[in-house]
Amino acid sequence: MFSILELLFVLLFSALFLKHSGFAQDQHKADQFIYHGFNESNLNLNGIAKIHSNGLLELTDISYYKIGRAFLPFPFNFSKSSFSTNFVFAIDPQMPNLGGHGVVFTISPSLEFTDAWAIEYFGLFNSSTIGLDSNHVFAVELDTIQTLNFKDTDNNHVGIDVNDLVSNVSASAGYFSDNELKRLELISGNLMQIWIDYDEAEKLVNVTLAPVTIMKPEKTLLSTKIDLSLVLTDSMYVGFSSSTGSMASHHYILGWSFNKSGPAQNLDMSKLPSLPSKPKSGKKGVPDFKIIIPLITASVLVIIIFGGVYIRKKKYEELREDWEEEYGPQRYSYKDLHKATEGFKENEVLGFGGFGKVYKGVFPCSDIQVAVKKFSHDSEQGMKQFVAEIASMGRLRHRNLVQLLGYCRRKGELLLVYDYMPNGSLDRFLFQNDTPNLNWVQRYQILKGVATALLYLHEEGDRVLLHRDVKASNVMLDAEFIGKLGDFGLAKFYDHGSFPQTTCIVGTVGYLAPEVSRTGRATTSSDVFAYGILMLEMACGRKTIEPERPRGEMILADWVLDCWKRGVITETSDLQLEGKYMVEEMELVLKLGLLCAHSIPANRPTMRQVMQYLDRKAALPDTLLDTPRTSLALLNREEALRCSSLSYEYSSLSMTASVLSCGR
């Protein structure tokens, strides 16, 4: 009898263990599961992913450049099989209309994503692994940033991906109701649900999106033929990955249902964990007149309060006009910027420029880091145009542009708010001995990044945008040393097919194209000239004008050209590289830099052609030996010294600047 009782006890204990284990073996063998919250899910968490006490899965918070992943720890056999899954998610951005980068449901052959990058790579790939057939990765992306490199349709879309983040098919987020597509904002913070179904017999992938308040729509958002038997193997892991960049979001998963051999079970919305509560904007309650203080006391208090408010208001007083209403979402309060920079303390200064100082700021409520450029103006003339163009630039979105977040006006001051770049400007790493040396791979990637940014500005926007001040000090480096073109203080919009009307000389000596010095008229070709000078500086590790060098080496472009003619062009390469570079790439950069800096504008390539050369999709024309010297070639040492120290004057109102003359 004792042995029978003992056996029953063991069986009961085993049953209880299997019931309460996070992922019971019989459940795994059934190839299906459903989770309403994840406290008992036994998920494999990676990066900054975490599970809240109520079971809410948070893949990423509002930390910068972070990755969060959550995968089931057991593999499934996906060899020639159908599957179905649905989950409920929410994306809550750190700032309204500015989130990043989204969530991907992923089927992967491994839980290890070696050297995967954050930002637009979702923590799945990097620039060398993306697009490889050997990845064996299937994903459905909920993408909240438009990445032109990946041919994204917009900054609010759903895409089906195979081994790549260039989607096989994608569509703006939404759902069909009575055959009418209704838009959904992924970064609204609202709960949404998504269904992903694959029919092995039909080789068909369907994706359906909807709010949690309705049943699964009959019409799918995305439907495409893909033979996943060529992608998925007999040992695959399922889960989620998410990443942040310079803008971040809370990425939440509330519930998840999966079935590898049939339709996934429907989630019960009443069983899902709740999202963290948001601070509510306070409202003054209705006073209880039964206990209201005497009228005279109230009057005195009102006078004191309003007096304090008036004094405080004067401290943070700003200029606001009716026409600025349309730019409201991009306007910061002076009070917030004052607090973020600790009252614009000198120890928060990141750098100095011709326009004023740049301060590091941290918003106390969110720990968001920004750079605040502060400079003065003394006239209202042209201010409306200035703010209009600032607002236009604030809508630019590219991974290689420093994001302009907004502006503020106060008395005689203008303040521009940008993404904070932890590694500062490129010129520090090229020309200062107290900073680490950039290796050749980093330099080449930075050059390609700036080139893609200029291509975007010149050709891929609604209007052409001339930067007009491309130089090393205006290329900023983020935490991962990704180059981002910044400082649009001299930038100018104009329509495609038209010509810029301004004839005021703007820019920096040494980067100015010869025709700009003569006519004052900047074009996309003059941006290309400045980019060419930047290429030479990156390859040679020196400034474009260095008066202390021998006469034949004072002007960088002319020195490189002379060395090429003598067949020793690589001898101009930066000695700090210690020869650790691909000779073919070094020669390409030096020769392409000379071609971009050609004194005849018609002989310069477009930025699209530059990208083709850098990507080795086109051969560089070997016709530069007859290239004329630059317009600075005949300077003597005194004139070169004077030119190298010149700075441009800037008018913050008309957005124009003039370079001091340095003629002979």
Side-chain angles (χ1 to χ4, degrees), residues 301-358:
L301 287 175
V302 167
I303 293 172
I304 294 173
I305 292 171
F306 274 92
V309 169
Y310 176 77
I311 294 172
R312 189 173 183 81
K313 183 178 179 182
K314 291 296 289 183
K315 179 179 180 181
Y316 301 115
E317 187 176 24
E318 303 175 34
L319 291 176
R320 291 182 181 269
E321 298 181 34
D322 293 340
W323 54 262
E324 289 185 80
E325 294 268 336
E326 59 187 298
Y327 311 119
Q330 289 183 304
R331 174 150 187 167
Y332 285 82
S333 73
Y334 183 79
K335 179 181 178 181
D336 288 343
L337 298 182
H338 190 273
K339 288 184 177 179
T341 58
E342 298 184 15
F344 298 99
K345 283 186 177 180
E346 288 301 310
N347 59 359
E348 297 296 329
V349 173
L350 296 173
F352 302 85
F355 316 148
K357 296 180 180 179
V358 181

Short mmCIF file of all heavy atoms in Angstrom, two decimals, residues 301-358:
data_model
loop_
_atom_site.label_atom_id
_atom_site.label_comp_id
_atom_site.label_asym_id
_atom_site.label_seq_id
_atom_site.Cartn_x
_atom_site.Cartn_y
_atom_site.Cartn_z
N LEU A 301 -3.72 85.72 -1.72
CA LEU A 301 -3.01 84.59 -2.29
C LEU A 301 -2.92 84.70 -3.81
O LEU A 301 -1.89 84.40 -4.42
CB LEU A 301 -3.72 83.28 -1.91
CG LEU A 301 -3.56 82.83 -0.46
CD1 LEU A 301 -4.42 81.60 -0.18
CD2 LEU A 301 -2.10 82.53 -0.15
N VAL A 302 -4.02 85.12 -4.44
CA VAL A 302 -4.01 85.27 -5.90
C VAL A 302 -2.98 86.30 -6.33
O VAL A 302 -2.24 86.10 -7.31
CB VAL A 302 -5.42 85.67 -6.40
CG1 VAL A 302 -5.36 86.13 -7.86
CG2 VAL A 302 -6.37 84.50 -6.26
N ILE A 303 -2.90 87.40 -5.60
CA ILE A 303 -1.92 88.43 -5.94
C ILE A 303 -0.50 87.89 -5.82
O ILE A 303 0.36 88.11 -6.69
CB ILE A 303 -2.11 89.66 -5.02
CG1 ILE A 303 -3.45 90.34 -5.34
CG2 ILE A 303 -0.96 90.65 -5.20
CD1 ILE A 303 -3.81 91.45 -4.36
N ILE A 304 -0.25 87.15 -4.74
CA ILE A 304 1.08 86.57 -4.54
C ILE A 304 1.42 85.58 -5.65
O ILE A 304 2.51 85.59 -6.22
CB ILE A 304 1.16 85.89 -3.16
CG1 ILE A 304 1.04 86.95 -2.05
CG2 ILE A 304 2.47 85.12 -3.02
CD1 ILE A 304 0.94 86.35 -0.65
N ILE A 305 0.45 84.71 -5.96
CA ILE A 305 0.69 83.68 -6.98
C ILE A 305 0.94 84.30 -8.33
O ILE A 305 1.90 83.96 -9.04
CB ILE A 305 -0.51 82.70 -7.03
CG1 ILE A 305 -0.57 81.87 -5.74
CG2 ILE A 305 -0.40 81.79 -8.26
CD1 ILE A 305 -1.82 81.03 -5.61
N PHE A 306 0.07 85.26 -8.71
CA PHE A 306 0.23 85.87 -10.02
C PHE A 306 1.50 86.70 -10.11
O PHE A 306 2.12 86.80 -11.17
CB PHE A 306 -1.00 86.73 -10.37
CG PHE A 306 -2.11 85.94 -10.99
CD1 PHE A 306 -3.11 85.39 -10.21
CD2 PHE A 306 -2.13 85.73 -12.36
CE1 PHE A 306 -4.13 84.66 -10.79
CE2 PHE A 306 -3.15 84.99 -12.94
CZ PHE A 306 -4.17 84.45 -12.15
N GLY A 307 1.87 87.27 -8.97
CA GLY A 307 3.14 88.00 -8.96
C GLY A 307 4.31 87.07 -9.22
O GLY A 307 5.22 87.37 -10.00
N GLY A 308 4.29 85.90 -8.55
CA GLY A 308 5.35 84.93 -8.77
C GLY A 308 5.36 84.39 -10.19
O GLY A 308 6.41 84.21 -10.81
N VAL A 309 4.15 84.13 -10.72
CA VAL A 309 4.05 83.64 -12.10
C VAL A 309 4.58 84.66 -13.07
O VAL A 309 5.29 84.33 -14.04
CB VAL A 309 2.59 83.28 -12.43
CG1 VAL A 309 2.43 83.02 -13.93
CG2 VAL A 309 2.15 82.06 -11.63
N TYR A 310 4.26 85.95 -12.84
CA TYR A 310 4.72 87.01 -13.74
C TYR A 310 6.25 87.09 -13.75
O TYR A 310 6.88 87.17 -14.81
CB TYR A 310 4.13 88.35 -13.30
CG TYR A 310 4.64 89.51 -14.14
CD1 TYR A 310 4.13 89.74 -15.41
CD2 TYR A 310 5.64 90.35 -13.65
CE1 TYR A 310 4.59 90.79 -16.18
CE2 TYR A 310 6.11 91.41 -14.42
CZ TYR A 310 5.58 91.62 -15.68
OH TYR A 310 6.05 92.65 -16.45
N ILE A 311 6.85 87.03 -12.55
CA ILE A 311 8.31 87.09 -12.47
C ILE A 311 8.93 85.88 -13.17
O ILE A 311 9.91 85.99 -13.91
CB ILE A 311 8.75 87.14 -10.99
CG1 ILE A 311 8.28 88.47 -10.35
CG2 ILE A 311 10.27 86.99 -10.88
CD1 ILE A 311 8.50 88.53 -8.86
N ARG A 312 8.33 84.71 -12.92
CA ARG A 312 8.85 83.49 -13.55
C ARG A 312 8.67 83.54 -15.05
O ARG A 312 9.54 83.11 -15.82
CB ARG A 312 8.13 82.27 -12.96
CG ARG A 312 8.74 80.95 -13.38
CD ARG A 312 8.07 79.81 -12.63
NE ARG A 312 8.66 78.53 -12.95
CZ ARG A 312 9.76 78.06 -12.41
NH1 ARG A 312 10.40 78.76 -11.51
NH2 ARG A 312 10.24 76.88 -12.75
N LYS A 313 7.53 84.08 -15.49
CA LYS A 313 7.26 84.17 -16.92
C LYS A 313 8.27 85.08 -17.61
O LYS A 313 8.72 84.81 -18.72
CB LYS A 313 5.83 84.68 -17.15
CG LYS A 313 5.43 84.75 -18.61
CD LYS A 313 4.00 85.22 -18.76
CE LYS A 313 3.61 85.30 -20.24
NZ LYS A 313 2.23 85.80 -20.42
N LYS A 314 8.60 86.19 -16.95
CA LYS A 314 9.58 87.10 -17.54
C LYS A 314 10.93 86.41 -17.71
O LYS A 314 11.65 86.66 -18.68
CB LYS A 314 9.74 88.35 -16.66
CG LYS A 314 8.51 89.26 -16.64
CD LYS A 314 8.22 89.85 -18.01
CE LYS A 314 9.24 90.89 -18.39
NZ LYS A 314 8.93 91.53 -19.69
N LYS A 315 11.26 85.51 -16.77
CA LYS A 315 12.54 84.81 -16.85
C LYS A 315 12.61 83.93 -18.08
O LYS A 315 13.65 83.81 -18.72
CB LYS A 315 12.73 83.97 -15.58
CG LYS A 315 14.04 83.18 -15.58
CD LYS A 315 14.18 82.38 -14.29
CE LYS A 315 15.48 81.57 -14.29
NZ LYS A 315 15.62 80.78 -13.05
N TYR A 316 11.47 83.28 -18.42
CA TYR A 316 11.44 82.36 -19.55
C TYR A 316 10.64 82.91 -20.73
O TYR A 316 10.18 82.15 -21.58
CB TYR A 316 10.82 81.01 -19.12
CG TYR A 316 11.57 80.34 -17.99
CD1 TYR A 316 10.97 80.15 -16.76
CD2 TYR A 316 12.86 79.89 -18.17
CE1 TYR A 316 11.65 79.53 -15.72
CE2 TYR A 316 13.56 79.27 -17.14
CZ TYR A 316 12.94 79.09 -15.92
OH TYR A 316 13.62 78.48 -14.90
N GLU A 317 10.48 84.21 -20.79
CA GLU A 317 9.64 84.83 -21.82
C GLU A 317 10.17 84.51 -23.23
O GLU A 317 11.36 84.58 -23.50
CB GLU A 317 9.59 86.34 -21.61
CG GLU A 317 8.60 87.04 -22.53
CD GLU A 317 8.51 88.53 -22.22
OE1 GLU A 317 9.48 89.07 -21.67
OE2 GLU A 317 7.48 89.12 -22.54
N GLU A 318 9.25 84.18 -24.12
CA GLU A 318 9.61 83.85 -25.49
C GLU A 318 8.86 84.75 -26.46
O GLU A 318 7.88 85.40 -26.11
CB GLU A 318 9.23 82.39 -25.80
CG GLU A 318 9.87 81.38 -24.88
CD GLU A 318 9.37 79.99 -25.17
OE1 GLU A 318 9.10 79.69 -26.35
OE2 GLU A 318 9.22 79.21 -24.22
N LEU A 319 9.36 84.78 -27.71
CA LEU A 319 8.67 85.46 -28.80
C LEU A 319 7.78 84.46 -29.52
O LEU A 319 8.24 83.42 -29.99
CB LEU A 319 9.68 86.05 -29.79
CG LEU A 319 10.52 87.23 -29.29
CD1 LEU A 319 11.53 87.61 -30.36
CD2 LEU A 319 9.65 88.42 -28.96
N ARG A 320 6.49 84.75 -29.60
CA ARG A 320 5.56 83.89 -30.31
C ARG A 320 4.64 84.76 -31.15
O ARG A 320 4.09 85.75 -30.67
CB ARG A 320 4.72 83.05 -29.34
CG ARG A 320 5.51 81.98 -28.61
CD ARG A 320 4.60 81.16 -27.71
NE ARG A 320 5.35 80.15 -26.97
CZ ARG A 320 5.55 78.92 -27.40
NH1 ARG A 320 5.06 78.55 -28.57
NH2 ARG A 320 6.22 78.05 -26.68
N GLU A 321 4.46 84.37 -32.41
CA GLU A 321 3.57 85.10 -33.29
C GLU A 321 2.57 84.14 -33.91
O GLU A 321 2.79 82.93 -33.96
CB GLU A 321 4.39 85.81 -34.39
CG GLU A 321 5.36 86.84 -33.81
CD GLU A 321 6.14 87.56 -34.90
OE1 GLU A 321 5.58 87.79 -35.98
OE2 GLU A 321 7.31 87.89 -34.66
N ASP A 322 1.44 84.70 -34.43
CA ASP A 322 0.36 83.87 -34.93
C ASP A 322 0.81 82.92 -36.04
O ASP A 322 0.39 81.77 -36.11
CB ASP A 322 -0.79 84.75 -35.45
CG ASP A 322 -1.46 85.52 -34.32
OD1 ASP A 322 -1.31 85.09 -33.16
OD2 ASP A 322 -2.13 86.52 -34.60
N TRP A 323 1.71 83.39 -36.92
CA TRP A 323 2.11 82.56 -38.05
C TRP A 323 2.93 81.35 -37.65
O TRP A 323 3.11 80.43 -38.43
CB TRP A 323 2.87 83.39 -39.09
CG TRP A 323 4.07 84.14 -38.56
CD1 TRP A 323 4.10 85.43 -38.20
CD2 TRP A 323 5.38 83.62 -38.35
NE1 TRP A 323 5.35 85.78 -37.77
CE2 TRP A 323 6.17 84.69 -37.86
CE3 TRP A 323 5.99 82.39 -38.54
CZ2 TRP A 323 7.51 84.54 -37.54
CZ3 TRP A 323 7.33 82.24 -38.23
CH2 TRP A 323 8.08 83.31 -37.73
N GLU A 324 3.41 81.34 -36.38
CA GLU A 324 4.19 80.19 -35.92
C GLU A 324 3.33 79.02 -35.49
O GLU A 324 3.85 77.94 -35.20
CB GLU A 324 5.09 80.61 -34.76
CG GLU A 324 6.24 81.51 -35.15
CD GLU A 324 7.16 81.78 -33.99
OE1 GLU A 324 8.00 80.92 -33.68
OE2 GLU A 324 7.04 82.87 -33.39
N GLU A 325 2.00 79.21 -35.46
CA GLU A 325 1.11 78.15 -35.01
C GLU A 325 1.32 76.86 -35.82
O GLU A 325 1.30 75.75 -35.28
CB GLU A 325 -0.35 78.60 -35.17
CG GLU A 325 -0.73 79.75 -34.26
CD GLU A 325 -1.31 79.26 -32.95
OE1 GLU A 325 -1.81 78.14 -32.92
OE2 GLU A 325 -1.24 80.01 -31.97
N GLU A 326 1.54 77.02 -37.15
CA GLU A 326 1.67 75.85 -38.00
C GLU A 326 2.93 75.06 -37.71
O GLU A 326 3.08 73.90 -38.10
CB GLU A 326 1.66 76.26 -39.48
CG GLU A 326 2.76 77.23 -39.85
CD GLU A 326 2.61 77.74 -41.28
OE1 GLU A 326 2.66 76.91 -42.21
OE2 GLU A 326 2.41 78.97 -41.44
N TYR A 327 3.91 75.67 -37.01
CA TYR A 327 5.15 74.98 -36.69
C TYR A 327 5.19 74.55 -35.23
O TYR A 327 6.22 74.14 -34.72
CB TYR A 327 6.36 75.88 -36.98
CG TYR A 327 6.31 76.51 -38.35
CD1 TYR A 327 6.27 77.89 -38.50
CD2 TYR A 327 6.29 75.72 -39.48
CE1 TYR A 327 6.21 78.47 -39.75
CE2 TYR A 327 6.23 76.29 -40.74
CZ TYR A 327 6.18 77.66 -40.87
OH TYR A 327 6.12 78.23 -42.11
N GLY A 328 4.03 74.65 -34.58
CA GLY A 328 3.96 74.41 -33.14
C GLY A 328 4.61 73.14 -32.65
O GLY A 328 5.36 73.16 -31.68
N PRO A 329 4.35 71.97 -33.30
CA PRO A 329 4.92 70.72 -32.78
C PRO A 329 6.43 70.70 -32.73
O PRO A 329 7.02 69.91 -32.01
CB PRO A 329 4.40 69.68 -33.80
CG PRO A 329 3.18 70.29 -34.37
CD PRO A 329 3.45 71.76 -34.42
N GLN A 330 7.10 71.59 -33.49
CA GLN A 330 8.56 71.60 -33.51
C GLN A 330 9.14 72.73 -32.68
O GLN A 330 10.33 72.99 -32.75
CB GLN A 330 9.05 71.69 -34.95
CG GLN A 330 8.80 70.41 -35.73
CD GLN A 330 9.36 70.51 -37.13
OE1 GLN A 330 9.03 71.40 -37.89
NE2 GLN A 330 10.22 69.58 -37.49
N ARG A 331 8.29 73.38 -31.89
CA ARG A 331 8.78 74.47 -31.07
C ARG A 331 8.94 73.98 -29.63
O ARG A 331 8.03 73.39 -29.05
CB ARG A 331 7.82 75.66 -31.11
CG ARG A 331 8.25 76.74 -30.15
CD ARG A 331 7.87 78.10 -30.59
NE ARG A 331 8.45 79.10 -29.69
CZ ARG A 331 8.51 80.38 -29.93
NH1 ARG A 331 8.03 80.85 -31.05
NH2 ARG A 331 9.06 81.21 -29.08
N TYR A 332 10.11 74.23 -29.06
CA TYR A 332 10.39 73.89 -27.67
C TYR A 332 10.20 75.13 -26.81
O TYR A 332 10.42 76.26 -27.27
CB TYR A 332 11.83 73.38 -27.51
CG TYR A 332 12.07 71.98 -28.01
CD1 TYR A 332 12.28 71.74 -29.36
CD2 TYR A 332 12.09 70.91 -27.15
CE1 TYR A 332 12.51 70.46 -29.83
CE2 TYR A 332 12.32 69.62 -27.60
CZ TYR A 332 12.53 69.40 -28.95
OH TYR A 332 12.75 68.13 -29.41
N SER A 333 9.85 74.90 -25.57
CA SER A 333 9.76 76.02 -24.65
C SER A 333 11.15 76.37 -24.12
O SER A 333 11.99 75.49 -23.92
CB SER A 333 8.83 75.67 -23.48
OG SER A 333 9.45 74.77 -22.59
N TYR A 334 11.38 77.64 -23.94
CA TYR A 334 12.67 78.09 -23.42
C TYR A 334 12.89 77.53 -22.01
O TYR A 334 14.02 77.19 -21.64
CB TYR A 334 12.73 79.61 -23.39
CG TYR A 334 14.06 80.15 -22.92
CD1 TYR A 334 15.16 80.20 -23.77
CD2 TYR A 334 14.23 80.59 -21.61
CE1 TYR A 334 16.39 80.67 -23.35
CE2 TYR A 334 15.46 81.06 -21.16
CZ TYR A 334 16.53 81.10 -22.04
OH TYR A 334 17.74 81.56 -21.61
N LYS A 335 11.83 77.41 -21.27
CA LYS A 335 11.93 76.89 -19.92
C LYS A 335 12.51 75.47 -19.93
O LYS A 335 13.41 75.15 -19.14
CB LYS A 335 10.54 76.88 -19.26
CG LYS A 335 10.51 76.32 -17.85
CD LYS A 335 9.10 76.35 -17.30
CE LYS A 335 9.03 75.74 -15.91
NZ LYS A 335 7.64 75.75 -15.37
N ASP A 336 12.01 74.63 -20.84
CA ASP A 336 12.50 73.25 -20.92
C ASP A 336 13.97 73.21 -21.33
O ASP A 336 14.76 72.42 -20.80
CB ASP A 336 11.67 72.44 -21.91
CG ASP A 336 10.27 72.14 -21.38
OD1 ASP A 336 10.07 72.27 -20.15
OD2 ASP A 336 9.39 71.79 -22.18
N LEU A 337 14.35 74.06 -22.28
CA LEU A 337 15.74 74.08 -22.73
C LEU A 337 16.66 74.64 -21.65
O LEU A 337 17.80 74.19 -21.50
CB LEU A 337 15.87 74.90 -24.02
CG LEU A 337 15.10 74.37 -25.23
CD1 LEU A 337 15.37 75.25 -26.45
CD2 LEU A 337 15.47 72.93 -25.53
N HIS A 338 16.16 75.62 -20.90
CA HIS A 338 16.94 76.20 -19.81
C HIS A 338 17.24 75.15 -18.75
O HIS A 338 18.37 75.03 -18.26
CB HIS A 338 16.17 77.38 -19.21
CG HIS A 338 16.97 78.20 -18.25
ND1 HIS A 338 17.06 77.90 -16.91
CD2 HIS A 338 17.72 79.33 -18.43
CE1 HIS A 338 17.82 78.79 -16.30
NE2 HIS A 338 18.24 79.67 -17.20
N LYS A 339 16.23 74.34 -18.44
CA LYS A 339 16.42 73.28 -17.45
C LYS A 339 17.32 72.17 -17.99
O LYS A 339 18.18 71.64 -17.27
CB LYS A 339 15.08 72.70 -17.03
CG LYS A 339 14.24 73.63 -16.16
CD LYS A 339 12.96 72.95 -15.72
CE LYS A 339 12.15 73.84 -14.78
NZ LYS A 339 10.88 73.19 -14.36
N ALA A 340 17.13 71.83 -19.25
CA ALA A 340 17.90 70.73 -19.84
C ALA A 340 19.39 71.04 -19.85
O ALA A 340 20.23 70.14 -19.69
CB ALA A 340 17.41 70.45 -21.25
N THR A 341 19.74 72.30 -20.05
CA THR A 341 21.16 72.70 -20.13
C THR A 341 21.68 73.25 -18.81
O THR A 341 22.78 73.81 -18.76
CB THR A 341 21.35 73.76 -21.22
OG1 THR A 341 20.52 74.90 -20.93
CG2 THR A 341 20.99 73.21 -22.59
N GLU A 342 20.87 73.11 -17.74
CA GLU A 342 21.23 73.63 -16.42
C GLU A 342 21.54 75.13 -16.50
O GLU A 342 22.54 75.61 -15.95
CB GLU A 342 22.42 72.86 -15.84
CG GLU A 342 22.14 71.39 -15.61
CD GLU A 342 23.32 70.68 -14.95
OE1 GLU A 342 24.21 71.37 -14.41
OE2 GLU A 342 23.35 69.44 -14.98
N GLY A 343 20.64 75.82 -17.20
CA GLY A 343 20.80 77.28 -17.30
C GLY A 343 21.91 77.68 -18.26
O GLY A 343 22.52 78.74 -18.10
N PHE A 344 22.18 76.83 -19.27
CA PHE A 344 23.23 77.09 -20.26
C PHE A 344 24.59 77.31 -19.57
O PHE A 344 25.30 78.27 -19.83
CB PHE A 344 22.87 78.28 -21.15
CG PHE A 344 21.62 78.07 -21.95
CD1 PHE A 344 20.40 78.60 -21.53
CD2 PHE A 344 21.65 77.32 -23.11
CE1 PHE A 344 19.24 78.38 -22.26
CE2 PHE A 344 20.50 77.10 -23.85
CZ PHE A 344 19.28 77.64 -23.42
N LYS A 345 24.92 76.36 -18.71
CA LYS A 345 26.19 76.43 -17.99
C LYS A 345 27.37 76.23 -18.93
O LYS A 345 27.28 75.49 -19.92
CB LYS A 345 26.24 75.37 -16.88
CG LYS A 345 25.42 75.72 -15.64
CD LYS A 345 25.66 74.68 -14.56
CE LYS A 345 24.92 75.05 -13.28
NZ LYS A 345 25.15 74.04 -12.22
N GLU A 346 28.46 76.87 -18.61
CA GLU A 346 29.65 76.78 -19.45
C GLU A 346 30.20 75.35 -19.49
O GLU A 346 30.79 74.94 -20.50
CB GLU A 346 30.73 77.74 -18.95
CG GLU A 346 30.42 79.20 -19.21
CD GLU A 346 30.23 79.50 -20.69
OE1 GLU A 346 31.10 79.09 -21.49
OE2 GLU A 346 29.22 80.12 -21.05
N ASN A 347 30.01 74.59 -18.41
CA ASN A 347 30.54 73.23 -18.43
C ASN A 347 29.69 72.29 -19.27
O ASN A 347 30.01 71.11 -19.42
CB ASN A 347 30.69 72.67 -17.01
CG ASN A 347 29.38 72.65 -16.25
OD1 ASN A 347 28.34 73.05 -16.77
ND2 ASN A 347 29.42 72.18 -15.02
N GLU A 348 28.57 72.79 -19.82
CA GLU A 348 27.74 72.01 -20.72
C GLU A 348 28.01 72.35 -22.18
O GLU A 348 27.34 71.84 -23.08
CB GLU A 348 26.25 72.23 -20.41
CG GLU A 348 25.81 71.78 -19.03
CD GLU A 348 25.96 70.27 -18.85
OE1 GLU A 348 25.82 69.54 -19.83
OE2 GLU A 348 26.24 69.84 -17.71
N VAL A 349 28.98 73.24 -22.44
CA VAL A 349 29.28 73.66 -23.81
C VAL A 349 29.97 72.52 -24.55
O VAL A 349 30.99 71.98 -24.10
CB VAL A 349 30.15 74.93 -23.85
CG1 VAL A 349 30.59 75.23 -25.27
CG2 VAL A 349 29.38 76.11 -23.27
N LEU A 350 29.41 72.16 -25.71
CA LEU A 350 30.00 71.11 -26.54
C LEU A 350 30.96 71.67 -27.56
O LEU A 350 31.89 70.99 -27.99
CB LEU A 350 28.89 70.34 -27.28
CG LEU A 350 27.91 69.55 -26.41
CD1 LEU A 350 26.79 68.99 -27.27
CD2 LEU A 350 28.62 68.42 -25.67
N GLY A 351 30.73 72.92 -27.97
CA GLY A 351 31.60 73.51 -28.97
C GLY A 351 31.19 74.93 -29.29
O GLY A 351 30.18 75.44 -28.80
N PHE A 352 32.01 75.58 -30.10
CA PHE A 352 31.78 76.95 -30.50
C PHE A 352 31.73 77.01 -32.02
O PHE A 352 32.33 76.19 -32.71
CB PHE A 352 32.90 77.87 -30.01
CG PHE A 352 33.09 77.86 -28.51
CD1 PHE A 352 33.88 76.90 -27.90
CD2 PHE A 352 32.46 78.80 -27.73
CE1 PHE A 352 34.05 76.88 -26.53
CE2 PHE A 352 32.62 78.79 -26.36
CZ PHE A 352 33.42 77.83 -25.75
N GLY A 353 31.00 77.97 -32.55
CA GLY A 353 30.95 78.16 -33.98
C GLY A 353 30.80 79.62 -34.31
O GLY A 353 30.74 80.48 -33.42
N GLY A 354 30.74 79.89 -35.62
CA GLY A 354 30.56 81.27 -36.05
C GLY A 354 29.21 81.82 -35.62
O GLY A 354 29.00 83.03 -35.63
N PHE A 355 28.28 80.91 -35.25
CA PHE A 355 26.94 81.36 -34.92
C PHE A 355 26.68 81.43 -33.41
O PHE A 355 25.65 81.91 -32.98
CB PHE A 355 25.90 80.40 -35.52
CG PHE A 355 26.18 80.00 -36.93
CD1 PHE A 355 25.82 78.75 -37.39
CD2 PHE A 355 26.82 80.87 -37.81
CE1 PHE A 355 26.08 78.38 -38.70
CE2 PHE A 355 27.08 80.50 -39.11
CZ PHE A 355 26.71 79.26 -39.55
N GLY A 356 27.57 80.91 -32.61
CA GLY A 356 27.34 80.90 -31.18
C GLY A 356 27.85 79.62 -30.55
O GLY A 356 28.74 78.96 -31.08
N LYS A 357 27.26 79.24 -29.43
CA LYS A 357 27.70 78.06 -28.69
C LYS A 357 26.69 76.92 -28.84
O LYS A 357 25.51 77.15 -29.07
CB LYS A 357 27.87 78.40 -27.20
CG LYS A 357 28.95 79.43 -26.91
CD LYS A 357 29.04 79.71 -25.42
CE LYS A 357 30.12 80.75 -25.12
NZ LYS A 357 30.20 81.06 -23.67
N VAL A 358 27.20 75.70 -28.67
CA VAL A 358 26.37 74.51 -28.68
C VAL A 358 26.47 73.86 -27.30
O VAL A 358 27.57 73.60 -26.81
CB VAL A 358 26.80 73.51 -29.76
CG1 VAL A 358 25.89 72.30 -29.76
CG2 VAL A 358 26.79 74.17 -31.14
#
